Amino acid sequence: MADEFPAGSAWLVGAGPGDPDLLTRKAERLLRTASVVFYDALVGKGILELIPASVRKVPVGKRAGRHSKDQETINDLLVAAAMAGERVVRLKGGDPSIFGRSMEECSALLQAGVPVRICPGITAASAAAASAGVSLSLRGLARRVQFATAHKRGDAPLDLDWAALADPHCTTVFYMGRSAAAEIGRNLVASGLPGATPVMIACDISLASERMLHTRLDLLHVAVSAFSNDQPTLILVGEALAAGGSAPLADSCSASIGTVVPESTSPAPKPQAAFHPFASRAL
C-alpha cells in the first residue's frame, strides 16, 4: 500500500452515489490509508463513518448557490497538504471525472510536483438506473447514452446543444437538473423530442431516502415541483426508461403523487412494459 499511496501524494476518490456498500474496495482502502480527506457536501454520513478517527476530515463542499470553498482555495488546500507530506484524498460524490472538476485539481497538484491519481466511483446515472430496474442503453430504443450538466450561473440560460440532446434514440441524463427542469423540458420539445418521451427524476440515489418519479417530458416542469430545491436531483430522459426489466417491482411500489397535471396534446407513447406517466416511488 505504501507504493500505491506514498506520503506527499494525492488521490481523487469517487465516493459513489451514497450507499457505503457501493464504494469500491480500492476507495475504502485509500480512505483508511490517508492522513487527510477533503470531502464534498454530497458525500454522505455513511461514507464518512468508514474513515478512521485518526484521519483528519476537512469539508470543502459546494452546493448550488452555497460554496463553502471556491475551487482555487480547494486546489491550494490540496497542494499545501501534499507538500507537507500528507497522504491526501480528495473525496467526491459519484465519479470524480463526471462533472467533478477533477482535471482542475489534478492540474494544480501536478504543477506543484505532487503525484496524483484517480480512483473512479459509480456515477449517479448508473445507480439510478439500477435502482429503477431500467437500462440506460437498450437495443432498438437507446443506441447511445449522453451526460449533460444542467448547472448554470444565476439566471443565465443553459448553453447546451439542444439539437444533439434531443436525439430520440438516446438516453440523456442531466446532472444537477432540479432548477433547470422547465428549461430542459421546453428546449428538448422545441428541438423535436416528443412531449410524451418518458422521463425519470431521481434524488438521494441509493440511500434509504431515495425517491424516483416517472413522468413525461412535457410534464417535467410540473413533476419536478415534488422535489426540494436542496435535494441533489438527476433527470433522465429517453424511451429506454419505459422498458424496464422489473415491471412487477415498479407496479408494487408506484403511487400517484396526487398532482393535477395539464392535459397534453402530444401523441401517446408507444406501448411498452409497464410505465406510469406520473408515478412516484420510494425504495
Side-chain angles (χ1 to χ4, degrees):
M1 188 65 199
D3 292 340
E4 182 180 49
F5 202 172
S9 67
W11 277 87
L12 274 60
V13 175
D19 182 353
D21 286 341
L22 295 180
L23 191 71
T24 66
R25 293 175 62 187
K26 183 168 188 172
E28 185 172 1
R29 188 170 71 246
L30 291 168
L31 290 175
R32 294 186 183 281
T33 308
S35 61
V36 59
V37 174
F38 297 90
Y39 64 92
D40 276 347
L42 293 181
V43 177
K45 180 181 178 183
I47 302 290
L48 295 177
E49 287 176 346
L50 297 175
I51 303 173
S54 58
V55 178
R56 186 162 58 97
K57 295 183 282 291
V58 182
V60 291
K62 293 185 288 186
R63 297 291 290 271
R66 303 191 308 276
H67 290 188
S68 65
K69 297 283 190 299
D70 61 43
Q71 189 61 55
E72 186 174 351
T73 299
I74 294 172
N75 295 347
D76 291 343
L77 288 170
L78 299 177
V79 169
M83 297 295 285
E86 300 216 51
R87 292 182 175 88
V88 179
V89 161
R90 174 69 170 102
L91 186 61
K92 295 172 172 285
D95 183 279
S97 298
I98 297 182
F99 306 121
R101 303 185 73 167
S102 60
M103 287 302 95
E104 294 176 50
E105 295 173 357
C106 284
S107 294
L109 289 160
L110 290 172
Q111 287 174 11
V114 175
V116 57
R117 298 170 67 184
I118 297 175
C119 175
I122 294 175
T123 190
S126 297
S131 288
V134 300
S135 176
L136 296 177
S137 61
L138 193 62
R139 183 180 299 178
L141 289 179
R143 60 192 175 194
R144 66 188 183 94
V145 179
Q146 56 189 356
F147 297 161
T149 174
H151 178 70
K152 58 181 182 177
R153 295 182 180 274
D155 295 328
L158 281 176
D159 184 18
L160 297 174
D161 185 345
W162 294 107
L165 293 174
D167 182 352
H169 302 292
C170 178
T171 300
T172 302
V173 182
F174 293 91
Y175 284 69
M176 299 168 280
R178 168 65 179 83
S179 62
E183 190 174 352
I184 290 169
R186 182 174 63 252
N187 281 295
L188 290 178
V189 170
S191 297
L193 205 58
T197 302
V199 169
M200 184 172 76
I201 310 171
C203 75
D204 292 345
I205 297 161
S206 82
L207 300 176
S209 56
E210 178 182 85
R211 293 180 62 213
M212 293 190 178
L213 186 149
H214 293 265
T215 184
R216 45 190 281 164
L217 187 58
D218 54 3
L219 301 181
L220 175 58
H221 65 291
V222 177
V224 78
S225 64
F227 295 83
S228 163
N229 285 330
D230 289 334
Q231 291 177 295
T233 303
L234 202 69
I235 296 173
L236 301 89
V237 180
E239 293 293 341
L241 301 174
S246 54
L249 175 63
D251 287 341
S252 64
C253 297
S254 295
S256 169
I257 67 170
T259 301
V260 177
V261 296
E263 187 173 318
S264 171
T265 58
S266 301
K270 298 176 183 178
Q272 303 281 1
F275 173 64
H276 305 274
F278 204 70
S280 176
R281 68 186 180 99
L283 297 180

